[in-house]
């Protein structure tokens, strides 16, 4: 066993994995920018208080999952366990409320949660995150939902579905929470210890419990959908009307409460077949009170975050293929000290001309260099021997066809460019 291994719950993204990452990143960014989202990069660490306030002190994320440390100046900092709080902080800090509203922002990068690692669940993972700040319009909720849907569909996923719920607002939720608590009091002896605790600290989370004994109680629990105020009910009805209009399938799931406290009204996830228990490829919703909680002007918002590792797991499970990057256009082989010098010069010239080149290292026979050219999937081997050099030419072998021609050295850039259709 090697002396050092990567920390539990982290991953090395090896070169052979990168085509998946490139495909997802490029496509996600393209979709976001086409819909008018602008990129924002926020720090990887922020003041601990930002997440504690924003996400809520009684959530699993804040209670158990944050990587928190004191820096040398004595400040408590936390590696970001999500983007939303940081993005809203930046919106407030930079006075973005004076820009034309809404402001649409996307981010992509690493996220840290001290979670129990398993397939699809890591301690360092990556999110593609979207936020629309400054509008109450249910069409913004729809736009966020459609964008992630298009992402998954465009990547070739099958078996997608929306899970949808409304968690109400500070006007109607407290009433519902009382109804829920009263219902749970009747079943207090049957529920798990965690739920007994949750009833005190974060009652809505009982609906999210995975314990076997709690399942029948959750199934028969009063649904928040029956307790929404008029404004929340209207918002939810309009969003559903839009989804129906576009023929997007969704399942109303009154158990969907999500693990972050800032949500108001809409909450949703997209589930995909093929990744077992970690079925949520993304999650999001509306957070109309968050900006105020963080000390900013009242600013409604809605957003989503998609886990990139989970996207790639689904791609693999569902057999979605990504193109392997091509090998180098030219592999430069050389025989003898003079040819080696010419090889070094030529590699530089070709690369400056924008061509992809692999230069053979070391002193080896032609056979060994050709074997390497083959393994590296080069299109052409440019072979420099003493004899060729004396005549100012290179022998160029088409590695696919096996044919070989002589090309004058000074014409090599043009010759290769034509074949690379540059
Ligand atoms: P979240 O549901 O906590 O929401 O995370 C969003 C997504 O991140 C999940 O659906 C999953 O794909 C991925 N994810 C979460 N934890 C892990 C993990 N340990 N390993 C791998 N992937 C994971 C949020 O973070 C909200 N900030 C989303 C949001 C944006 N709401 C409004 N705007």
């Amino acid at each position: 066993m090697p002396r050092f291994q990567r920390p539990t719950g982290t991953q090395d993204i090896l070169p052979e994995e990168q085509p998946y990452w490139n495909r997802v990143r490029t496509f996600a960014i393209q979709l976001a920018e086409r819909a008018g989202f602008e990129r924002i990069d926020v720090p990887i660490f922020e003041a601990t208080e930002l997440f504690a306030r924003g996400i809520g002190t009684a959530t699993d994320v804040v209670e158990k999952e944050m990587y928190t440390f004191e820096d040398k100046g004595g400040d408590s900092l936390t590696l970001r366990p999500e983007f939303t709080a940081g993005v809203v902080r930046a919106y407030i800090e930079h006075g973005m409320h004076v820009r034309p509203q809404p402001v649409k922002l996307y981010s992509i990068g690493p996220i840290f949660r001290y979670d129990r690692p398993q397939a699809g669940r890591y301690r360092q993972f990556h999110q593609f995150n979207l936020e629309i700040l400054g509008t109450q319009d249910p069409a913004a909720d729809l736009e966020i939902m459609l964008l992630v849907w298009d992402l998954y569909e465009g990547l070739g996923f099958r078996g997608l579905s929306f899970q949808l719920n409304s968690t109400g607002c500070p006007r109607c939720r407290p009433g519902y929470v009382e109804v829920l608590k009263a219902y749970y009091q009747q079943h207090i002896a049957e529920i798990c210890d965690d739920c007994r605790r949750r009833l005190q600290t974060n009652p809505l989370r009982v609906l999210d419990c995975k314990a076997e004994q709690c399942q029948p109680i959750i199934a028969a629990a009063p649904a928040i959908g029956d307790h929404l105020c008029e404004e929340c009910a209207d918002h939810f009805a309009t969003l559903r009307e839009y989804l129906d209009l576009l023929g997007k399938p969704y399942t109303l799931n009154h158990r969907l409460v999500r693990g972050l406290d800032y949500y108001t009204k809409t909450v949703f996830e997209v589930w995909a077949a093929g990744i077992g228990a970690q079925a949520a490829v993304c999650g999001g919703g509306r957070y109309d009170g968050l900006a105020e909680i963080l000390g900013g002007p009242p600013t409604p918002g809605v957003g989503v975050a998609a886990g990139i590792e989970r996207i790639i797991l689904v791609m693999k499970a569902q057999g979605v293929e990504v193109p392997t990057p091509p090998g180098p256009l030219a592999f430069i082989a050389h025989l003898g000290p003079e040819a080696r010098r010419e090889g070094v010069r030529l590699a530089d010239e070709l690369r400056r001309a924008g061509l992809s080149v692999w230069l053979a290292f070391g002193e080896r026979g032609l056979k060994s260099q050709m074997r390497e050219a083959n393994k590296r999937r080069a299109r052409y081997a440019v072979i420099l021997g003493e004899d060729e050099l004396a005549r100012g030419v290179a022998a160029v072998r088409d590695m696919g066809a096996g044919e070989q021609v002589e090309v004058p050295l000074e014409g090599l850039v043009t010759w290769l460019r034509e074949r690379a259709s540059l």
Side-chain angles (χ1 to χ4, degrees):
M1 199 185 276
R3 173 147 175 225
F4 292 110
Q5 290 175 299
R6 59 189 193 276
T8 307
T10 65
Q11 296 198 99
D12 298 309
I13 308 169
L14 299 177
E16 50 272 29
E17 291 291 308
Q18 298 291 343
Y20 286 96
W21 284 79
N22 281 341
R23 170 81 182 112
V24 175
R25 261 193 299 248
T26 316
F27 187 47
I29 290 176
Q30 186 188 10
L31 282 179
E33 292 188 345
R34 210 155 65 190
F37 286 78
E38 296 175 291
R39 179 161 181 150
I40 184 165
D41 291 313
V42 291
I44 284 184
F45 55 82
E46 298 261 7
T48 301
E49 185 66 12
L50 172 74
F51 298 120
R53 282 209 185 186
I55 298 171
T57 45
T59 58
D60 280 355
V61 170
V62 172
E63 270 185 356
K64 305 183 199 156
E65 298 174 1
M66 297 209 301
Y67 280 91
T68 297
F69 60 98
E70 197 175 290
D71 73 3
K72 294 198 192 311
D75 292 328
S76 180
L77 298 170
T78 293
L79 299 185
R80 63 187 182 202
E82 62 138 22
F83 274 111
T84 311
V87 172
V88 174
R89 193 251 329 122
Y91 176 94
I92 299 166
E93 188 171 337
H94 300 282
M96 289 194 206
H97 62 280
V98 302
R99 298 185 185 196
Q101 302 293 300
V103 174
K104 297 187 188 180
L105 301 167
Y106 77 87
S107 308
I108 192 160
I111 297 293
F112 305 85
R113 290 185 191 174
Y114 189 78
D115 221 327
R116 204 151 20 92
Q118 52 181 279
R121 204 196 280 166
Y122 311 100
R123 290 182 177 170
Q124 176 176 333
F125 60 99
H126 296 73
Q127 283 186 346
F128 168 61
N129 188 80
L130 298 162
E131 311 289 356
I132 302 182
L133 289 145
T135 179
Q136 289 268 12
D137 194 332
D141 308 36
L142 178 81
E143 195 167 298
I144 287 284
M145 293 175 73
L146 291 184
L147 214 143
V148 280
W149 185 272
D150 289 349
L151 172 66
Y152 301 134
E153 210 170 56
L155 288 172
F157 286 16
R158 298 175 306 273
L160 293 173
S161 68
F162 277 125
Q163 299 288 314
L164 184 65
N165 195 16
S166 172
T167 53
C169 70
R171 239 169 311 147
C172 52
R173 193 184 306 148
Y176 169 69
V177 168
E178 287 316 309
V179 173
L180 184 68
K181 276 170 138 175
Y183 165 81
Y184 263 78
Q185 280 310 325
Q186 298 162 19
H187 298 278
I188 202 81
E190 300 149 63
I191 61 177
C192 72
D193 289 345
D194 272 346
C195 278
R196 252 175 247 134
R197 192 177 56 84
R198 286 186 192 115
L199 275 182
Q200 305 306 319
T201 57
N202 200 349
L204 276 189
R205 296 290 298 168
V206 297
L207 296 171
D208 202 23
C209 181
K210 303 289 182 293
E212 195 65 40
Q213 73 212 79
C214 295
Q215 298 315 303
I217 294 149
I218 298 170
I224 191 162
D226 300 327
H227 297 266
L228 297 176
C229 63
E230 203 181 325
E231 189 189 307
C232 288
D234 282 353
H235 186 97
F236 200 39
T238 309
L239 175 60
R240 289 169 56 185
E241 195 184 303
Y242 290 158
L243 286 166
D244 292 338
L245 188 75
L246 291 164
K248 289 284 179 273
Y250 59 84
T251 305
L252 289 180
N253 180 351
H254 82 274
R255 302 180 50 158
L256 187 72
V257 287
R258 312 257 311 123
L260 312 154
D261 276 358
Y262 49 61
Y263 290 114
T264 54
K265 299 196 171 94
T266 315
V267 286
F268 74 95
E269 291 181 350
V270 175
W271 290 6
I275 52 168
Q278 308 297 317
V281 276
C282 70
R286 182 162 275 286
Y287 47 87
D288 291 344
L290 181 57
E292 272 177 288
I293 291 171
L294 299 180
T299 312
V302 59
V304 66
I308 299 184
E309 284 80 357
R310 288 195 195 169
I311 295 181
I312 292 172
L313 274 180
V314 177
M315 288 171 84
K316 290 181 178 170
Q318 297 195 353
V320 175
E321 299 203 349
V322 289
T324 17
L329 178 66
F331 179 97
I332 300 179
H334 42 79
L335 295 158
E338 215 167 304
R340 197 158 59 246
R341 271 195 294 280
E342 174 57 15
V344 169
R345 192 205 59 78
L346 187 63
D348 180 59
E349 183 191 345
L350 298 183
R351 285 180 185 144
R352 281 169 191 275
L355 302 173
S356 69
V357 172
W358 187 283
L359 172 68
F361 290 146
E363 296 171 42
R364 283 175 293 153
L366 186 61
K367 238 192 189 159
S368 149
Q369 296 190 58
M370 285 305 101
R371 258 200 310 271
E372 188 186 353
N374 212 19
K375 277 193 200 141
R376 301 209 180 274
R377 296 177 298 113
R379 244 173 92 188
Y380 297 101
V382 175
I383 305 160
L384 303 169
E386 306 284 321
D387 170 50
E388 280 88 4
L389 277 194
R391 290 186 289 118
V393 299
V396 181
R397 186 178 296 176
D398 183 323
M399 296 300 290
E403 287 155 8
Q404 194 161 310
V405 291
E406 281 194 350
V407 181
L409 281 171
E410 74 260 26
L412 196 57
V413 166
T414 316
W415 192 93
L416 284 169
R417 284 183 78 101
E418 275 167 9
R419 275 147 192 90
S421 44
L422 284 175

